[in-house]
Amino acid sequence: MSTLKAVRGTRDLLPPETALWNRIEATARAVFARYNFGEIRTPVFEDTALFARGVGEETDIVSKEMYTWEDGERFNELRMIVDWESLNRSDDPTHVQAGRAHVERLSPLLTQLNAIGVQREVTWGVALPGQQLPGSAPEFVCFSPRISGEAISALLKARELAKSDPASHLRQTYVRLRLVVPANAADNRWVERHDVTIEWFEGNFFDSTQSLTLRPENTAGVVRAYIEHGLGESGLLQKLYYIGPQFRRERPQKGRYRQFAQIGAEVIGPPSAGSESPLRDAEVLEMLATLLDELGITGWTLELNSVGSSADRAHYNEALRAALVPVVGQMCGDCQRRAETNPLRVLDCKVAADQPIIETLPVIADSLDEESKKHFAAVTAALDAAGVPYTLNHRLVRGLDYYTRTTFEFTHGGLGAQNALLGGGRYDGLSEMLGGPRAPGIGFAIGEDRLVLTLLAQESASPQKADAFIAPLGDAKDAAALAKMNAAALVLARELRHNGLWIELGDGGFRLKKSFEAAEKTARRIVILGEDELQSGILTVKTFSTGIQAKVPRAELGVFLSE
Ligand code: HAM
């Protein structure tokens, strides 16, 4: 049997790397708290419409990358029976009459089946005149969403009852059993199982109740929650952060996964709370610079742009549409479609042959109105004052439709092709797009996987080790002595751990050489606990970095190991 593996694009995070993930998350929480952000946790899946409306139907994320499924599908038994009967029914009056008579004769049995709950699944083929040609065997038919043991036993039980019922005219007759289940055209076939004929019947007999999607990003979910809980009614700015998995069906490569983690934050509120102010943009960017610095990420670049108000974007879209007319015929199929539906998304195109054409298209800066220009100038002035470095990138329109005005990305050279550590921007119209009140906002999401990759590539991230490894010296052949020494080691480990030390515990059954090898891999020091040490209360401690071996009284051990 082949062994099962994590699904392509997903992965397990293991120690010691998870310690780094925890450190990143703890640092992010601490920084966010200093800026007065509180945590929000939204569900991992949402109504598909949320992303279609929020992120945009024409974006790569929504059109290609979402994990979407129909949830709560219900088997519509009645619709299947009606369809099936219409195909199997005979209009011949003799058949119709024979069928009716048959059902009348069966009705006492039907009541009986009802009582044992079988009738729910059993429909009487014999009630269908088409099946009741003279000489053909009567048939019990059961309709079920799938081949199930339950449906098969219901049929078998029905036949048993018909045979054992003294009043039944079917006692001496062979009764056929048929289970009808829904099928796609591709697997239409018949088989026999346990004396039951299984018929795959073509058609869609499932009513879907809701289309759901694993969240590809968290901003739409946060804004949905903001609207749903009336968070704007307080009249205050809402400052919310989140840490959690997101899902996109992208082609996996270094720094790009199908399940990945984001650390993000959103500032949103009614305009009266100052949610539109350029100060909010500058504060969020300054917080990001602080967070990356505190994490020890060096060499990041902040790329900044403004995509203007929604009116500016409409103008820009027109300018793009016009500029695309003469050239779009030479571009890829996606671009040809987008040139019609949402020209801005042409700028997301990754096809190499299209890039020279994209270079010649108008830039959005030329479509900004005075208000948007002023807003952007105030953002950059505040960043200059705070000493946060940035570079302007007019092509930075971001791959989600909700952005207005400020957009940004922090990139890092060490990441390779997927060089965006994080991205974000303002989304002044998103709440209204989702049916909520006016609630301008700005936020970002950091790709935590990429943060980890960047830190791992930097020396500061070398894995940490335990403060000490306790190595009891036992005699593997003397079970009682070994148990005594191991118990003493457990007591010592317990004392040290209570003092806040990070301790790995060996085993008296190990040979000393093996204890040393294990200790060197996992800890900074080894503490030897043999019979002598136990008696004298003086322990032997070796520090691996210096190679120095010392005798330390038990009472001083905690202080010694924490140095
Ligand atoms: P985004 O640019 O789509 O923006 O994603 C933000 C970050 O998530 C990216 O810069 C990248 O670091 C990381 N990321 C995206 N896709 C993957 C992937 N497949 N594998 C690994 N990391 C990935 C958003 O998601 C917006 N919601 C950000 C935002 C918040 N805008 C306003 N508020």
Side-chain angles (χ1 to χ4, degrees):
M1 210 188 293
S2 62
T3 49
L4 293 169
K5 294 196 169 140
V7 173
R8 188 169 134 82
T10 72
R11 62 213 178 105
D12 303 304
L13 303 175
L14 307 170
E17 195 184 300
T18 39
L20 183 55
W21 285 74
N22 284 327
R23 180 168 78 75
I24 288 171
E25 288 168 19
T27 307
R29 286 176 197 280
V31 170
F32 294 156
R34 297 207 309 261
Y35 287 74
N36 199 29
F37 279 77
E39 184 174 6
I40 183 170
R41 300 186 190 196
T42 64
V44 163
F45 56 86
E46 299 262 6
D47 192 321
T48 304
L50 174 67
F51 305 113
R53 272 156 70 182
V55 176
E57 303 258 19
E58 269 305 317
T59 59
D60 276 354
I61 295 178
V62 173
S63 67
K64 301 182 187 162
E65 297 169 0
M66 295 204 306
Y67 287 94
T68 297
W69 71 98
E70 294 300 322
D71 194 64
E73 277 193 330
R74 246 194 341 239
F75 176 53
N76 190 330
E77 188 187 47
L78 192 65
R79 195 162 74 224
M80 189 176 193
I81 293 173
V82 169
D83 276 20
W84 188 85
E85 285 185 350
S86 73
L87 271 182
N88 288 281
R89 180 180 294 128
S90 160
D91 291 332
D92 183 328
T94 350
H95 294 160
V96 174
Q97 216 179 0
R100 267 204 208 109
H102 214 83
V103 172
E104 269 162 34
R105 273 191 287 165
L106 276 172
S107 57
L109 186 61
L110 279 175
T111 322
Q112 213 185 334
L113 290 174
N114 229 336
I116 61 160
V118 174
Q119 205 270 341
R120 180 173 49 86
E121 267 140 347
V122 176
T123 324
W124 300 89
V126 286
L128 304 167
Q131 303 299 311
Q132 272 306 293
L133 297 172
S136 80
E139 187 170 37
F140 291 173
V141 185
C142 174
F143 296 87
S144 168
R146 71 195 73 81
I147 305 171
S148 67
E150 205 181 86
I152 288 178
S153 19
L155 281 167
L156 294 171
K157 219 184 283 173
R159 182 162 69 183
E160 219 175 275
L161 271 169
K163 297 256 165 237
S164 58
D165 181 353
S168 168
H169 68 293
L170 296 175
R171 273 204 306 158
Q172 311 297 329
T173 323
Y174 174 72
V175 180
R176 287 199 330 213
L177 304 175
R178 187 192 320 206
L179 176 62
V180 186
V181 293
N184 299 322
D187 45 36
N188 234 340
R189 58 194 190 274
W190 291 69
V191 295
E192 293 285 337
R193 194 178 289 184
H194 306 299
D195 207 20
V196 174
T197 304
I198 293 165
E199 176 189 1
W200 277 267
F201 187 65
E202 194 187 332
N204 177 17
F205 304 111
F206 293 93
D207 294 332
S208 65
T209 51
Q210 200 175 16
S211 173
L212 300 181
T213 293
L214 286 182
R215 64 184 185 197
E217 62 98 55
N218 221 156
T219 308
V222 169
V223 177
R224 185 218 18 88
Y226 172 90
I227 299 167
E228 190 170 332
H229 302 288
L231 298 183
E233 284 158 24
S234 67
L236 297 173
L237 275 184
Q238 298 296 311
K239 299 168 88 175
L240 303 164
Y241 78 87
Y242 48 83
I243 299 177
Q246 317 291 331
F247 306 85
R248 297 183 192 173
R249 192 188 280 108
E250 295 194 81
R251 200 170 48 78
Q253 64 180 83
K254 182 188 166 205
R256 189 164 71 191
Y257 311 99
R258 292 181 166 181
Q259 175 176 336
F260 59 98
Q262 282 187 342
I263 300 178
E266 313 292 347
V267 182
I268 179 171
S272 59
S275 56
E276 269 176 308
S277 165
L279 175 58
R280 301 278 73 98
D281 309 40
E283 188 187 23
V284 160
L285 290 164
E286 187 274 321
M287 176 172 82
L288 278 167
T290 299
L291 174 59
L292 294 185
D293 288 347
E294 282 191 22
L295 285 170
I297 303 259
T298 51
W300 50 263
T301 305
L302 161 57
E303 297 188 24
L304 200 58
N305 191 23
S306 173
V307 294
S309 64
S310 52
D312 298 337
R313 292 212 1 200
H315 288 145
Y316 182 54
N317 264 328
E318 281 322 303
L320 271 181
R321 211 185 293 269
L324 280 164
V325 171
V327 289
V328 76
Q330 305 151 43
M331 300 182 81
C332 70
D334 275 352
C335 283
Q336 299 195 6
R337 201 189 63 244
R338 290 161 167 176
E340 287 292 317
T341 54
N342 190 349
L344 192 72
R345 296 275 72 94
V346 167
L347 303 186
D348 298 334
C349 176
K350 307 276 180 327
V351 175
D354 289 354
Q355 300 310 309
I357 300 176
I358 293 174
E359 282 303 312
T360 66
L361 296 173
V363 295
I364 199 159
D366 298 333
S367 297
L368 300 191
D369 68 8
E370 278 314 307
E371 280 301 302
S372 294
K373 281 186 189 155
K374 257 200 288 187
H375 191 278
F376 193 53
V379 175
T380 51
L383 289 177
D384 291 338
V388 176
Y390 58 88
T391 58
L392 298 178
N393 176 356
H394 291 308
R395 298 232 84 101
L396 188 74
V397 293
R398 311 263 303 126
L400 302 92
D401 276 353
Y402 50 61
Y403 289 114
T404 52
R405 296 196 165 164
T406 313
T407 53
F408 56 86
E409 276 180 10
F410 281 65
T411 55
H412 196 281
L415 279 168
Q418 302 305 317
N419 70 349
L421 260 184
L422 67 95
R426 191 164 262 292
Y427 43 86
D428 291 346
L430 179 55
S431 172
E432 286 125 303
M433 271 153 68
L434 299 177
R438 182 149 165 64
I442 180 161
F444 62 84
I446 305 173
E448 194 175 357
D449 304 73
R450 297 187 190 174
L451 213 50
V452 169
L453 279 176
T454 309
L455 282 173
L456 282 176
Q458 294 181 6
E459 280 174 348
S460 61
S462 60
Q464 298 211 319
K465 287 186 169 180
D467 293 316
F469 181 103
I470 296 179
L473 296 184
D475 179 353
K477 289 187 209 93
D478 180 345
L482 177 60
K484 183 178 155 221
M485 197 50 75
N486 273 345
L490 180 66
V491 171
L492 178 62
R494 181 174 157 89
E495 267 170 39
L496 296 169
R497 287 168 175 157
H498 275 219
N499 286 338
L501 288 160
W502 176 6
I503 300 298
E504 180 57 290
L505 179 58
D507 192 297
F510 292 173
R511 277 180 295 124
L512 193 58
K513 183 163 173 275
K514 180 169 172 181
S515 287
F516 264 88
E517 281 168 5
E520 203 155 3
K521 282 186 195 141
T522 53
R524 294 187 292 121
R525 294 184 164 104
I526 184 167
V527 178
I528 314 280
L529 183 67
E531 195 56 53
D532 290 350
E533 284 83 359
L534 208 53
Q535 294 300 327
S536 65
I538 309 283
L539 294 133
T540 308
V541 182
K542 181 173 176 183
T543 304
F544 293 118
S545 60
T546 57
I548 295 173
Q549 199 153 307
K551 298 277 183 199
V552 184
R554 188 167 179 147
E556 292 165 25
L557 191 60
V559 175
F560 184 88
L561 294 179
S562 55
E563 279 162 7

